[in-house]
Amino acid sequence: MMSALLQQPGYEEERLQTVSKKLPCREVQAGMLLSLMATPVRYPSIFIYGHQSSGKSHVLNVLLKELELPHATVSCVECVSVALLFEQVLLSFFGCDAASLLPRSPSLSDFVRIYRQQSSQSPAKQTRYIVEDNVTVILLSEIVWDRFRPNTGCFEPLLLHFPDYSKGELQHILAQDRNPSYSDEFYSAYINILLGVFYSVCRDLRELRHLAALNFSKFCEPLAEGKVKETDTHKLWRNIEPHLKKAMQTVYLREVSSLQWEQMQQMEEKENGAVRGLSAHTHVELPYYSKFLLIAAYLASFNPARTDKRFFVKHHGKIKKTNFLKKNEKTSNHLLGPKPFPLDRLLAIFYSVVDSRVAPTASIFSQISSLVTLQLLTQVSHGDQIDAPKYKCAVSMDFICAISRTVNFEMIKYLYDFLTYQA
Amino acid sequence: MQEEKVFYSEPQPIRAGESVKAGSRHCWQSTLPAKIENASETYSLSIMSKRKAKDAPLPVGECISQVQDILRKRLCHQQLPDTPEGVEAQHKHLLELLKRTAVHGESNSVLIVGPRGSGKTMTDDRIALQEMTRQLHLENVVGDKVFGSFAENLSFLLEALKKGDRSSSRPSAQAPVAVVGVTCRLDVLELLEKRVKSRFSHRQIHLLSNPTFSQYLERVQTQLSLLDDFPDETFAQDWNASVKTLCEDKSVEDALERHYNSSKNFRSNHMLLMLCLSRVSVAKPVIKPADLLEASRMCLIDAQANMLHGLSILELCLIIAMKHLNDVYEGEPFNLQMVHNEFKKFLQRKSNSMYNFEQPVIMKAFEHLQQLEMIRPVDSSSVKTQREYQLMRLMLDNTQVMEALQKYPQCPTDVKQWAMSAYG
């Protein structure tokens, strides 16, 4: 289907048709860009924004390539310094001779001078484009223009928005790369189911495409076994849906690599997710005292200091119930995150949770600092390193519970947040 | 842009003689920005200069491409009008001053102040001096001499100018120099150092053009109309008539008034007209009111709302939870745990297992929001705290969220109701 939006004088019909074929659901934007780029004179800079994989660079690349416009594409992530940026632009316009003209640490004026010099030597017939994920300068970004504007202001570029793909459009695009050995309807039914599971979480075309490619073989499985016919979508859906839900918890989060996921699909008996993902490997083997130090740090971080007496002193005398559980402290500490604590408090709690007598040797202190380097603890105050440092505990609840189980310590009993009334 | 207009229309010999006072970077901006801006603008070569006999009617396609060419040149600042409009007095003032420098050999300094227009780059002194050398065509004189200080270098340059072969063309009493500074900051004088400030003549030209709406409207019309030298006269007449009817249209006038109220800047106006122009094609050889309204909509649309439209439902739910947290705790920063907790409260109330996502999935959505800069960490030390406890702030306001929710395609009703309810 040739869209009327993509018609522009000066370009052959055929070329425009190949362009429009390559840009499904993006005719409006491509037409807009084309009309802005149509004549030799055009707007100095265009800023294109839109979500991840909404086809920003794809549309532009296809347009520039197919219509053979002279352009330089530069990724600003790669160019860590301006020198690299200038070099790349000159390189792709004029070849390496021009790029070598740049001085060691080029300034903007150097670049402009060389650019002019070169362009007068080898005049181009058309406007040159510099595309930069940033002479029409076209800038591509995921972040809106308002966040880029410098506070002294600048030349305002022409803003263009690439809207997100709707569900229908996503389905249309995803259905294009179907497997040739199956029918069209079959594949689009599969895409439909896939979108049903993932659409509420993910609208990234690239991610969805990846997931579609990964899980298709599982979808076809009952077909190959001869259990179900192609038209029996309900049965196929029943087969694939739990599988896709599992995929959301594993592949989508990169818990399990795509390769592992494919292997898992081949081993049918093995339940999906039986392979332990990345996050399951959180168990860390620590020395005995380090474990207790970490436990003590966790308690110090998540319990308010005024409750220490109640928890850790054996004969604490009478503490009023009402006083102890203050009603206004409604928000749990596990919601607010860890609080910093001084070293003294950590040691005090440590001595009271460890049963045996421990001497404060150098090894204890070095274990604390090695916990910091392992990023299980973080040091909060930087100014006074030796004198009364403050720490924060940086491990999760699950992690600390697993550790305390290995040393037979009942964590929950000592946590203020999980305290039930027992006086 | 107007500053440059004034600047360009000056007679040539004076321009070449401009220079810089040591240390005052602001005066500098007169030379560089013009260069830089031009280079970043499109580099166009094929200029259609086919002049056909005036009375022979051209085919429509030809006419349209001519129109596009002429108007785009005008709108993209490639071609400036010969005389500045609306700033005649300032223009005269500057002309007088520069004449005095050129003819009588007086040294002058002047500062042109106006809203946004030019001069973005502040380069350092060394580059500035190199650039000056280049523009004065003195590279061969300077050679590879090494100078001790900036002043030494500058005085050498001026000396070279004096005895140079072209010195006959310029007065050589005491190296007369006109320093023309161009800036958009009203407080430039406060930025100058005290010693520089005392040497500066405190002559300022303010280019605060303040057109009335009727002037604005007139300008739009003149910007779009074709001049008499257009090859096809009948087409030009038709075009101008269509532009006239366009500008008299009530809805167009309203739209333009909206633009006028938001900014009187001609650049934003040019952007609008450029968008209109890009919709003109052979099939539709006139600008219709609908085109202008569409272009105006494109200009004025809230970009953040556009981005909100493309979020997944989970991300939208998180934003609503953040909005509630903001309402309850009066703008205190929050972390992922709190947001998740708020979201869980909603799920419990609804007992809807549809959105029962696990923490890592939520974390991924949360990080995507951070990537889009819809939320921002309070302190940038990301290594020190765990990801779920990092304090964040929402960069959207309530009306934006609510509006996005109204426009969101197939938004579930319970989510909408949750967002409406005052406190979660």
Side-chain angles (χ1 to χ4, degrees), chain A residues 357-389:
Chain A
R357 284 189 63 85
V358 192
T361 55
S363 104
I364 294 288
F365 288 104
S366 75
Q367 279 186 35
I368 293 176
S369 56
S370 71
L371 282 176
V372 173
T373 45
L374 288 173
Q375 296 194 3
L376 297 171
L377 293 185
T378 46
Q379 192 162 356
V380 183
S381 55
H382 272 297
D384 39 6
Q385 291 236 313
I386 302 167
D387 209 28

Side-chain angles (χ1 to χ4, degrees), chain B residues 75-98:
Chain B
L75 294 178
C76 302
H77 309 297
Q78 302 252 321
Q79 222 177 40
L80 296 161
D82 296 334
T83 50
E85 294 159 33
V87 286
E88 285 82 6
Q90 288 93 326
H91 177 232
K92 211 173 140 198
H93 185 174
L94 186 63
L95 200 63
E96 190 63 28
L97 206 73
L98 291 176

Side-chain angles (χ1 to χ4, degrees), chain A residues 149-222:
Chain A
R149 194 175 290 128
N151 48 11
T152 46
C154 64
F155 187 89
E156 292 286 313
L158 206 63
L159 304 183
L160 276 190
H161 176 233
F162 272 47
D164 47 297
Y165 293 112
S166 70
K167 198 169 181 178
E169 284 170 336
L170 274 178
Q171 181 144 9
H172 174 73
I173 296 167
L174 282 173
Q176 277 189 344
D177 40 29
R178 66 181 182 86
N179 196 322
S181 49
Y182 297 94
S183 75
D184 256 344
E185 296 82 47
F186 180 68
Y187 194 78
S188 61
Y190 165 65
I191 293 296
N192 207 359
I193 294 169
L194 184 92
L195 280 180
V197 174
F198 281 104
Y199 187 64
S200 58
V201 178
C202 172
R203 300 199 172 178
D204 193 326
L205 177 63
R206 241 175 304 177
E207 183 104 47
L208 285 171
R209 187 176 264 166
H210 175 66
L211 286 167
L214 267 185
N215 294 307
F216 186 60
S217 65
K218 179 78 182 174
F219 185 67
C220 299
E221 223 168 60

